[in-house]
Amino acid sequence: MDITYWNAHEETLDKDALRELQLIRLRQTVGQALKTDFYKRRLNKVGISSGDDIKTLDDIRRIPFTTKDDLREAYPFAMLAIDLHDVIRLHTSSGTTGTPTVIYHSRSDIDNWTDLMARCIISTGVNRGDVFQNMTTYGLFTGGLGFHYGAERIGILVIPASSGKTNRQIMLMRDFGTTVVHATPSYLLHISSHINSGDIKRSDLKLQRAFLGAEPHSEETRKKIEELLGIDAYNSYGLSEMNGPGVAFECVYKNGMHVWEDAFFMEMIDPVSQEVIPDENEGEIVFTTLNRTATPLLRYRTRDLTSVMGGECPCGRKHRRIARIKGRSDDMLIINGVNIFPSQIEDVIMKIPEVGTNYQIVVDKHGALDKLTVKTELYSKIFNGDFSLLSNIKIKLQTMLRDTILVNPSIELHEPGGLPVSEGKAKRVFDNRPKM
Ligand code: AMP
Ligand code: ZN
């Protein structure tokens, strides 16, 4: 197999050299974090007032975890570690407009992230001469610009197609000879059904590879995409709190995703006891940024569940690999790549006086795409036999939900008392998608 590296030295550092580098960078990161109001308070409480208080990598366990809620509370500036004048970009987590989490980037942060992305792309065998069509949303979501910069840095032609407009995507693929795409697995499946049934045929395309990311998918889904399109598909993992994509990526061997451990210190914890667990046990990933200046994050709980894989990868990269993400340790739903918390839906329902308080959130597969349905009851005193009233309530609920969660749900209105009432803890979310 042909192996190409982007940062050969960093990608093949042996374990000891990597740990040494991590310790240096961890100390710097703690020093950097202490410049923020948020971490200064937190770290001082546990007796850390300088990066030098970190003597070994194990000392990281003295530092409390950082959570998504911490980021929300720190919004907008309490976790910013540099002068705002030195920030050149910000990104937020996908979905939510109500309670954003923001990550700032300095020029060196963008530069490092771009390098990590270039590493990922190159590690799959893509190189100069390839044509890359980026079919994920450009904007605050990190999948657009993150991949875009990485691919440009390598020097390949980038088509910033963004997501949606399926027929146009396929036309661009044909007209510009796209060889590699980046998309959510659900969207690529959707596109592949169009390619196989529409005017433009597979034989009109030069497609060879795809990067699949932003949402959980199974090995079967990967195989299906590979077979339908006759390509190689690689798993791409990341989260906006750790820049976005470019955290972990499959190399040509497709046997788990290498985590760039010179940029992210990875721990696995038991999500309940919060104790660090040994590699190969399934747990929640916790990441600490190792070279970020604008928004350093210490021991960030990703809520993503997986395990670290044993053994060495034949590609020569020493960075540990993680298995596919198996699920989440919180209730976040990922619908066609967009993150949604059930509480956001509840907040909207509670704001509309015409509907009652009982509701259900149902997620199904509709072809290749996820479909969200919100079922709710009418408020008992509202209905007077006028059906136009019902359609107005539906539209109002749908619009408010779409504006909040950025996904357009189907709405089902039920008569008062029409939805089952559960005794004890209400079961609100029914995720009927096939399990990973
Ligand atoms: P965001 O911060 O909007 O980029 O969303 C990040 C979240 O998307 C992660 O914490 C994961 O839950 C999910 N995610 C991203 N990439 C993958 C992937 N390859 N497989 C499974 N889940 C993923
Ligand atoms: Zn490898």
Side-chain angles (χ1 to χ4, degrees), residues 229-295:
L229 290 172
I231 57 169
D232 284 302
Y234 302 87
N235 197 357
S236 155
Y237 168 76
L239 56 159
S240 47
E241 292 81 1
M242 296 294 126
N243 301 338
V247 175
F249 218 84
E250 281 182 335
C251 68
V252 275
Y253 289 97
K254 297 189 214 167
N255 56 358
M257 298 178 280
H258 289 281
V259 175
W260 301 127
E261 293 184 276
D262 56 327
F264 306 102
F265 186 80
M266 174 170 65
E267 298 170 274
M268 297 295 284
I269 63 163
D270 177 324
V272 180
S273 71
Q274 304 192 0
E275 294 295 328
V276 175
I277 56 169
D279 278 6
E280 288 161 55
N281 287 19
E282 193 175 305
E284 178 185 325
I285 314 174
V286 170
F287 280 127
T288 298
T289 62
L290 288 176
N291 55 7
R292 233 171 36 192
T293 59
T295 321

Side-chain angles (χ1 to χ4, degrees), residues 93-94 214-216 235-240 304 325 328 334 339:
S93 183
S94 70
E215 64 188 14
N235 197 357
S236 155
Y237 168 76
L239 56 159
S240 47
D304 290 321
I325 305 298
R328 305 234 346 140
I334 303 184
N339 303 348

Side-chain angles (χ1 to χ4, degrees), residues 333-356:
L333 295 163
I334 303 184
I335 305 207
N336 296 324
V338 178
N339 303 348
I340 292 165
F341 286 93
S343 57
Q344 293 177 281
I345 295 178
E346 175 169 319
D347 285 351
V348 170
I349 291 173
M350 297 306 150
K351 277 190 199 133
I352 301 184
E354 296 92 330
V355 299

